[in-house]
Amino acid sequence: MDRYAVVGHPVAHSKSPFIHARFAEQTGAELEYGLMDVAPEDFTQAVKSFFDEGGCGLNITLPHKQRAWELSDWRSDGAERSEAVNTLFCDDDGRLRGHNTDGIGLVRDITGNHGGRIKGQRLLLLGAGGAVRGVMPALLAQKPASICIANRTVEKAESLVRHFAGPIAMQATHYDELAGRQFDLLINGTSAGLDGKVPALPEGILADSAWCYDMVYGRGQTPFQAWAMDQGAEQAIDGCGMLVEQAAQSFYIWRGVMPNTAGVITALRQTLQH
Ligand code: ATR
């Protein structure tokens, strides 16, 4: 039986075992996918033991993505640039390979599942923590017209803009400095929704037909989705599809088979209702 797991702290709430069990059924794979709650000080040893004992692959979630990046002997371009790894596997030479599938998951959900556009759009990213950092390489690769990163603590947004500086126009701001500006695609990467809150955004920053995407998901509409609908967004999407898409890319990296995601997204939504 091939063994996989997600490592986090806490991790009990993770939907990854559910998602990977559906992928396994669908592709006829014999595998088990577990939960590993590991404190930061035990992370390195836990990863080493997992692979030494024949484990096939790990997903890495909060708060370990940066440590997983440090531990990786090889990193994909996206993982390298974001300095965060969410997928580990051990190659035949015993080298730990680190990928980051979060950004691919986000892009596939917006463009593939929902038929949206990132290329040429004016993007506004809300938040400047690990969630935003992790998806930056994939978003930049889509060649948006510009990326504005707004954060309560503007220094963190400025640091991200410096880190990812390149040909795409980028800017860091406070939320209140957004007044009078307009964006085509807003992506919420803050954890404000977990407290039922939305970042303090000015009115009128959504362009005509703007889309809003919340990287968070929950039982019903997230606070940011509700705000987006109220502001007249054409679409207000939660992060359910992104979660399944990033998992599918991890599954592909480990097993060379790309699962179908549509039915799994539907099934995940159903479990969230209960
Ligand atoms: P993660 O790794 O999940 O991104 P994080 O690094 O703790 O977690 O980042 C959380 C993000 O949500 C930050 O951008 C944080 O803003 P600050 O950097 O100013 O703290 C943002 N955030 C959390 N609660 C918020 C709130 N109530 N309003 C606005 N932003 C909030």
Side-chain angles (χ1 to χ4, degrees):
M1 185 79 96
D2 292 345
R3 279 199 308 122
Y4 301 87
V6 55
V7 189
H9 188 61
V11 79
H13 63 282
S14 172
K15 301 294 175 200
S16 293
F18 174 84
I19 295 169
H20 284 279
R22 302 288 85 70
F23 291 165
E25 277 167 18
Q26 198 192 99
T27 59
E30 296 234 328
L31 61 83
E32 68 176 42
Y33 187 108
L35 291 173
M36 286 169 57
D37 192 328
V38 175
E41 60 272 24
D42 300 325
F43 180 73
T44 304
Q45 187 54 45
V47 169
K48 192 174 171 334
S49 303
F50 178 84
F51 286 110
D52 284 350
E53 288 159 16
C56 296
L58 288 175
N59 278 136
I60 311 297
T61 188
L62 297 179
H64 302 307
K65 290 184 186 183
Q66 204 159 357
R67 185 75 194 106
W69 179 84
E70 289 166 4
L71 270 187
S72 303
D73 300 308
W74 174 95
R75 302 163 193 128
S76 67
D77 285 350
E80 183 62 31
R81 288 193 73 197
S82 63
E83 298 180 357
V85 156
N86 80 336
T87 304
L88 280 175
F89 92 106
C90 200
D91 67 17
D92 293 342
D93 299 328
R95 280 158 32 106
L96 213 50
R97 297 174 81 90
H99 295 256
N100 193 322
T101 66
D102 289 328
I104 297 167
L106 171 66
V107 168
R108 279 199 195 136
D109 196 38
I110 293 173
T111 61
N113 296 337
H114 293 278
R117 225 156 57 91
I118 299 173
K119 187 177 165 70
Q121 303 287 84
R122 294 165 294 176
L123 265 55
L124 173 60
L125 306 188
L126 310 176
V132 167
R133 170 178 278 267
V135 299
M136 280 298 288
L139 288 175
L140 287 166
Q142 292 293 304
K143 299 196 168 32
S146 57
I147 297 187
C148 180
I149 305 178
N151 199 41
R152 217 168 37 177
T153 317
V154 76
E155 292 77 16
K156 282 166 69 181
E158 286 165 352
S159 153
L160 277 191
V161 165
R162 275 195 302 276
H163 183 79
F164 288 103
I168 310 279
M170 292 212 289
Q171 195 196 356
T173 70
H174 283 288
Y175 292 118
D176 54 11
E177 289 166 351
L178 295 168
R181 298 184 57 187
Q182 291 211 312
F183 299 91
D184 307 302
L185 174 60
L186 279 70
I187 299 174
N188 179 31
T190 71
S191 49
L194 304 178
D195 299 326
K197 294 186 181 140
V198 177
L201 294 164
E203 296 275 316
I205 58 169
L206 266 56
D208 282 349
S209 317
W211 283 32
C212 292
Y213 194 100
D214 198 342
M215 287 202 250
V216 169
Y217 61 89
R219 195 164 170 189
Q221 208 176 41
T222 68
F224 179 66
Q225 277 179 295
W227 174 88
M229 294 315 287
D230 190 52
Q231 293 289 311
E234 186 174 286
Q235 289 256 17
I237 304 164
D238 73 7
C240 226
M242 171 181 172
L243 181 72
V244 175
E245 294 296 339
Q246 63 79 29
Q249 183 65 17
S250 297
F251 193 90
Y252 177 71
I253 288 165
W254 294 326
R255 306 190 62 85
V257 181
M258 183 57 94
N260 288 322
T261 51
V264 181
I265 295 171
T266 307
L268 177 62
R269 282 198 192 288
Q270 281 163 359
T271 69
L272 289 172
Q273 299 314 316
H274 297 115

